Amino acid sequence: STLLSCENVHVNYGPVRALTGASFTLDTGRICGLIGMNGSGKSTTARVITGLLPPSNGQVLFQGEPLP
């Protein structure tokens, strides 16, 4: 079953677009890593997932329920 999913997540820091259309699912019992070059949105994605930063668009679901 799906534990965590990001659906079309966008994040803006003022006029700067930091994340555009991030989408993925993570199934229960799986291990996942987020890799990429500097400035590619890894930290921004982590901040959205943990609720430290609201997405400008899209949503994060945990066990099918939207995160507040």
Side-chain angles (χ1 to χ4, degrees), residues 2-50:
T2 299
L3 179 65
L4 178 74
S5 65
C6 286
E7 300 174 350
N8 197 31
V9 173
H10 295 251
V11 176
N12 297 328
Y13 290 109
V16 178
R17 187 171 292 184
L19 197 60
T20 306
S23 298
F24 64 87
T25 58
L26 179 61
D27 293 334
T28 303
R30 296 295 210 173
I31 296 174
C32 177
L34 187 58
I35 60 173
M37 295 177 59
N38 291 345
S40 63
K42 300 177 303 290
S43 295
T44 299
T45 301
R47 287 184 181 108
V48 170
I49 291 170
T50 59

